[in-house]
Each structure stands twice: as C-alpha cells, then as structure tokens.
Amino acid sequence: MADDKMTAQISGRNGFIAALDQSGGSTPGALRLYGIPDEAYSGDAEMFRIVHEMRVRIMTAPAFTGAKVIATILFEGTMDGEVRGRPVPAFLWQQRGVVPFVKVDKGLEPEKDGVQLMRPIPQLDPLLIRAVKLGVFGTKMRSVINLASKAGIAAIVAQQFDVASRIAAHGLMPIIEPEVSIKSPDKAGAEAILVEELTRHLDARPDGSQVMLKLTIPDAPDLYAPLVSHKRVARVVALSGGYTRADACKRLSQNHGMIASFSRALAEDLRHSMSDAEFEAALAKSIDEIYRASTVKS
C-alpha cells in the first residue's frame, strides 16, 4: 500500500472522493450527459478515448486538488493511461494531492434473491499487482441490492468481504460497495438488513484490518453511525445513486461522519461544448457543494 500520508488523508482529511470509474456499460450514459451522443464515436476504443479526455479535463482543472477532493476512483483503463505524460495515479498523488483508487469489478450477475452479485473477476490478482506498481492506494467493487431480502443481502456482503480479503492481501484498501437501489420498494428495510450483515462481517475480521464502505445515502439519517465509528472501518462514503446533486447533498448533510463519493452528481453540469473557463467554473461549483455536504452537517 502507498505511504502513511495516503492512509492519514483517507481516514481523517476533510473532503470527498470523486468517482471517475464509469466502465463499459455506464460510459455511453456519462458521455451523453457530457453532451456527446452515441453516434459521435464508433466502437469501444474510441468511446474510451473520448471518456479519458473528459476525465483528464476534470483531473487537470484547478479546483480538482486534495484540498477538497481527497481521493478519486479510476476505471482500469484510466489507471493505465496518462495525464500530461505521466501515469494517472502518479499525476493524481504527486501533482494534485489526490489519492488514487481503481474499480476492480466486472459488472453484475442477473438478479437473484432480490440482489445482483458481482460477476467473477478472473484477472483480479494481475490487476492488483499492476495497481500496486502504479502507486494505487485501494480498490472499489460494486454489487446491487434491489429488495429487502435477508438471503440476498447476506450473499452480497459475504461475496464483498471474500473479495476484500484477496485485495487486502496485496496491501490495498478495499472499498466495499453494496449499493441499495434508490428505486427499491423497501429501501429502508434493505438498509436495516445491510447494517446487520456488514456489522457481523466487520466484527469477524482480524484485528488491525480495515475496509472502507461505499453506501447509498440512507432513508434514516445517521443509520450508518455505528459503521462510521467501527474500528475496522477506515471511512464510510456515500454514492449518489441517481439522486440529483442537490438532493444527494441535502441527504448527505444529514449523515454525520459520512462523506461523498459521487460520480454522475459530480459531473452533471459539465459539457463538452464548454470553454475551459466555463468548464472549470462549473466543476469548482460542484466540488464546493459536495465538499460542503461532506463536511458541514445539519
């Protein structure tokens, strides 16, 4: 794992985590939001080249620094890319003071028992070895909870912690992301079950080991307070989950100790057609709003 400065920043610095990790399935939607229609590119290679250019524009903007953005989650292809002639993880940490993470999951299985488990990750160990060499601090992996199913949620959490142990063995910090869909017919019920399952697995982990949790902003404010204070949790971060930035920030501000890790909500006002000055002003406004919701609680 990277040095103690990264650990201290992740566990204690005021700020939030930017999620720049849209992968194959979610990239077209991110580009459409950015103002680039599907017909503007042909094939995955060109799509990922364009989205990398968008991410570079974000990462090099004046407001995108560790003063408010303490970390960012990268897509694997972004991790392997360059910014201004430097590997992306090195640029982020050495030039911007932003701790790099990488998304490692390969998408979702079909729904079963009200949840969608992660697909197998056949090349996980080579990816983790490469991430360590590039100076990446940790990883993120996502699964989805649609219903308040005890069996399904138990399976989700067990899978997440099993993979987290493999990740931690490489010296990397795992971000566990069992997302509760904001469209769930019993979101609050699913969240209550999730807290129980997460607590059970955290209590069973070896002393000295830590994970991070990336969770949907709960319907009941401060529901995750016991997880925030758990000795085996380095940080609890929130996904925006389809909420607008204004709604996500309002909800987040009611949850003490929880900081943002937004993707779509971070970039929702950014457009390809903007001048650099317009783009940088819009991003700075977004960063300020998310930082405030992460640090000033109601």
Side-chain angles (χ1 to χ4, degrees):
M1 191 185 291
D3 60 32
D4 292 342
K5 289 183 179 179
M6 285 191 182
T7 303
Q9 179 157 314
I10 286 301
S11 60
R13 172 83 67 84
N14 280 341
F16 70 95
I17 298 175
L20 304 178
D21 60 339
Q22 297 95 343
S23 55
S26 57
T27 300
L31 288 177
R32 285 193 292 270
L33 183 65
Y34 188 47
I36 298 178
D38 296 2
E39 59 269 20
Y41 53 88
S42 176
D44 285 353
E46 191 173 359
M47 177 181 72
F48 286 125
R49 178 186 61 78
I50 295 171
V51 81
H52 184 70
E53 291 172 356
M54 179 185 76
R55 290 166 178 159
V56 168
R57 200 177 184 192
I58 292 171
M59 290 185 286
T60 56
F64 197 89
T65 74
K68 293 182 178 178
V69 183
I70 61 170
T72 190
I73 303 167
L74 304 170
F75 173 57
E76 182 180 347
T78 308
M79 178 190 77
D80 290 330
E82 293 188 346
V83 180
R84 295 177 177 170
R86 305 195 64 183
V88 169
F91 172 84
L92 285 168
W93 180 239
Q94 296 168 14
Q95 301 297 313
R96 314 304 278 175
V98 175
V99 177
F101 285 75
V102 64
K103 166 186 157 71
V104 297
D105 69 84
K106 300 301 180 184
L108 302 170
E109 297 278 17
E111 182 176 320
K112 181 182 178 182
D113 290 332
V115 304
Q116 290 177 272
L117 294 166
M118 293 183 289
R119 290 176 182 164
I121 313 173
Q123 297 299 312
L124 178 61
D125 289 303
L127 169 56
L128 298 176
I129 291 168
R130 197 163 76 250
V132 169
K133 288 180 178 177
L134 286 167
V136 168
F137 179 80
T139 66
K140 190 213 80 166
M141 50 191 172
R142 171 179 174 263
S143 41
V144 173
I145 297 165
N146 295 309
L147 300 176
S149 161
K150 287 194 174 185
I153 294 171
I156 282 264
V157 175
Q159 183 192 44
Q160 285 272 353
F161 274 89
D162 283 347
V163 181
S165 294
R166 290 179 61 190
I167 291 164
H170 287 265
L172 293 161
M173 172 68 74
I175 299 178
I176 289 172
E177 183 184 8
E179 173 182 350
V180 177
S181 171
I182 65 171
K183 298 178 181 177
S184 172
D186 186 9
K187 180 171 176 285
E191 288 166 346
I193 297 169
L194 179 60
V195 170
E196 293 177 2
E197 286 297 319
L198 288 171
T199 301
R200 186 167 65 83
H201 280 267
L202 288 166
D203 289 346
R205 284 184 68 79
D207 283 339
S209 68
Q210 285 193 316
V211 299
M212 294 172 63
L213 303 174
K214 182 169 179 175
L215 306 173
T216 308
I217 305 169
D219 281 2
D222 285 336
L223 177 70
Y224 299 139
L227 302 176
V228 171
S229 61
H230 199 289
K231 65 182 180 179
R232 297 190 180 101
V233 176
R235 205 84 186 242
V236 178
V237 304
L239 57 101
S240 51
Y243 293 126
T244 64
R245 184 169 69 245
D247 196 4
C249 286
K250 180 180 178 181
R251 291 168 181 267
L252 178 60
S253 69
Q254 299 169 355
N255 287 272
H256 296 77
M258 196 174 190
I259 66 172
S261 177
F262 292 172
S263 174
R264 186 205 48 75
L266 171 67
E268 68 180 31
D269 295 334
L270 305 180
R271 300 293 180 270
H272 178 260
S273 59
M274 286 176 164
S275 68
D276 287 346
E278 290 170 334
F279 182 92
E280 290 167 4
L283 180 60
K285 179 176 180 290
S286 177
I287 287 172
D288 285 346
E289 290 177 8
I290 298 169
Y291 177 83
R292 187 163 56 251
S294 297
T295 58
V296 180
K297 302 297 183 176
S298 58

